[in-house]
Amino acid sequence: MRSRTIPTSTPNLSAVMRPFFVALCIMALSACQLTPNEPTGGTFVASTVGADDTRIAYDVRGSGDMTIVFVHGWSCDRSYWREQVDYFAQRHRVVTVDLGGHGESGADRADWTMASFGEDVAAVVEELGADNVVLIGHSMGGPVVLEAAMRLPQRVVKVIGVDTLKDVSRKPPSREVIEGFLVKAKADFPGFVREDIRNALFVPSAPAELAEWVIEDMASANPQIAIEASVQLGMFDAGKTLAELQDVPITLIQADYRPTKPEALADAHPNAKEIIIANTSHFLMMEKPGEFNIVLETELDRLSSHSHERQ
């Protein structure tokens, strides 16, 4: 995991190109040996083997009938859920995962598709033998947890996306079109993140310290992995994937700084809904952790109540 101090406070593209680029950035931001140890506070740090035999690092904290798995977004890592881990570990088993090529996980593969990231998450769930699983994915993690859910039948009881899948009716463009938007990223990846990504993901009212930390952290990511993951994310067909998960309830917790298309979500999935948290930008779970945690807790409690009713 990249070494850095995380802030604890809660603290131009052309008009033609911007709509697609913003959508892409919003989305972009998704027989094993278990080797656990317990450094502090009951957190188990372990690893397993994901797609292409890549080592996948993850933490486990807490216990309970429900296992909730947090998946980070593009060029991030599992530390982005630091405001959620202790809160939810009081009642649930909480797992945070570093996707392949991110954080402390291995990067020795060439496949950076949403499907391969989904295999990473599924490998962790299977290694833990977890049932009654809720998959929670931020940004690129939204498509990733959809892919993981398809690989975990009977294990996943709900998928929750966080500021992701804003327009599931969008038809993916070609690789060539997407790469055209990434010319600057290929030439100067840190500059691309510091300018274009910052403008796409943060509103002026976002906590300045948090925005600066996130941008500098993302700018230090492996450019080759980040750019290829962006391409693969842009090519992801959310509507098609949702059609294959009709039996899994979906909730999207969205920030309000960019519009969503709830009607497209309703058309794509019979048991999907959207919740908006006002006055937030892309990293809402870090910008307003208190409000976000309450919203997420309500969704988990509702799921637990339905489960008891069925029993």
Side-chain angles (χ1 to χ4, degrees):
M1 192 178 299
R2 299 187 292 276
S3 177
R4 66 269 199 255
T5 301
I6 303 173
T8 56
S9 62
T10 55
N12 277 320
L13 296 173
S14 70
V16 174
M17 296 168 64
R18 176 170 289 278
F20 171 76
F21 179 76
V22 168
L24 177 61
C25 289
I26 289 170
M27 291 177 65
L29 291 161
S30 206
C32 304
Q33 180 67 36
L34 184 67
T35 57
N37 57 75
E38 188 174 358
T40 57
T43 299
F44 290 87
V45 182
S47 66
T48 190
V49 176
D52 295 334
D53 295 329
T54 302
R55 176 183 176 274
I56 302 301
Y58 64 94
D59 295 341
V60 182
R61 188 178 178 89
S63 61
D65 294 335
M66 183 183 294
T67 297
I68 56 178
V69 181
F70 288 101
V71 180
H72 62 78
W74 180 79
S75 295
C76 302
D77 60 47
R78 67 192 192 270
S79 71
Y80 281 61
W81 298 106
R82 66 189 301 272
E83 299 286 356
Q84 283 67 57
V85 171
D86 286 345
Y87 185 92
F88 288 100
Q90 297 176 57
R91 296 175 55 196
H92 308 291
R93 178 162 64 165
V94 174
V95 181
T96 53
V97 180
D98 280 344
L99 299 174
H102 296 73
E104 294 180 324
S105 289
D108 50 348
R109 72 184 190 224
D111 184 357
W112 305 110
T113 62
M114 300 306 103
S116 68
F117 290 137
E119 290 178 25
D120 296 339
V121 176
V124 171
V125 172
E126 290 171 348
E127 178 70 20
L128 293 171
D131 293 308
N132 200 27
V133 174
V134 178
L135 299 178
I136 304 171
H138 173 248
S139 192
M140 185 184 79
V144 170
V145 295
L146 293 182
E147 289 282 357
M150 290 198 298
R151 291 160 173 76
L152 296 166
Q154 285 77 56
R155 290 185 185 267
V156 174
V157 295
K158 190 175 182 67
V159 168
I160 297 177
V162 180
D163 210 54
T164 186
L165 305 171
K166 297 233 172 183
D167 179 8
V168 299
S169 64
R170 183 188 69 91
K171 296 304 178 185
S174 68
R175 182 184 184 97
E176 291 71 26
V177 169
I178 297 169
E179 287 185 336
F181 292 103
L182 296 171
V183 171
K184 181 176 179 180
K186 292 178 180 180
D188 177 14
F189 181 76
F192 167 77
V193 173
R194 290 176 181 133
E195 183 178 344
D196 298 281
I197 296 297
R198 180 193 295 273
N199 292 337
L201 301 184
F202 287 98
V203 296
S205 61
E209 184 182 8
L210 174 63
E212 188 64 26
W213 177 83
V214 168
I215 291 302
E216 289 305 310
D217 187 57
M218 294 172 71
S220 69
N222 182 308
Q224 182 178 358
I225 295 172
I227 291 169
E228 179 59 22
S230 291
V231 172
Q232 294 297 331
L233 177 58
M235 296 169 61
F236 180 76
D237 191 334
K240 179 180 178 182
T241 307
L242 284 171
E244 299 182 41
L245 288 170
Q246 299 290 290
D247 294 333
V248 179
I250 309 283
T251 295
L252 302 182
I253 304 174
Q254 308 282 34
D256 67 346
Y257 76 119
R258 300 290 183 194
T260 63
K261 290 193 175 180
E263 68 283 358
L265 180 65
D267 290 342
H269 197 285
N271 192 7
K273 69 176 182 178
E274 182 178 86
I275 301 171
I276 304 293
I277 296 183
N279 302 315
T280 52
S281 49
H282 191 51
F283 292 87
L284 62 166
M285 73 284 196
M286 303 174 82
E287 291 179 40
K288 290 190 173 182
E291 186 173 350
F292 175 86
N293 289 351
I294 290 172
V295 169
L296 178 55
E297 184 175 39
T298 299
E299 287 301 295
L300 296 177
D301 287 347
R302 183 175 292 114
L303 184 63
S304 295
S305 297
H306 290 170
S307 176
H308 293 319
E309 288 173 5
R310 289 194 298 270
Q311 294 174 1

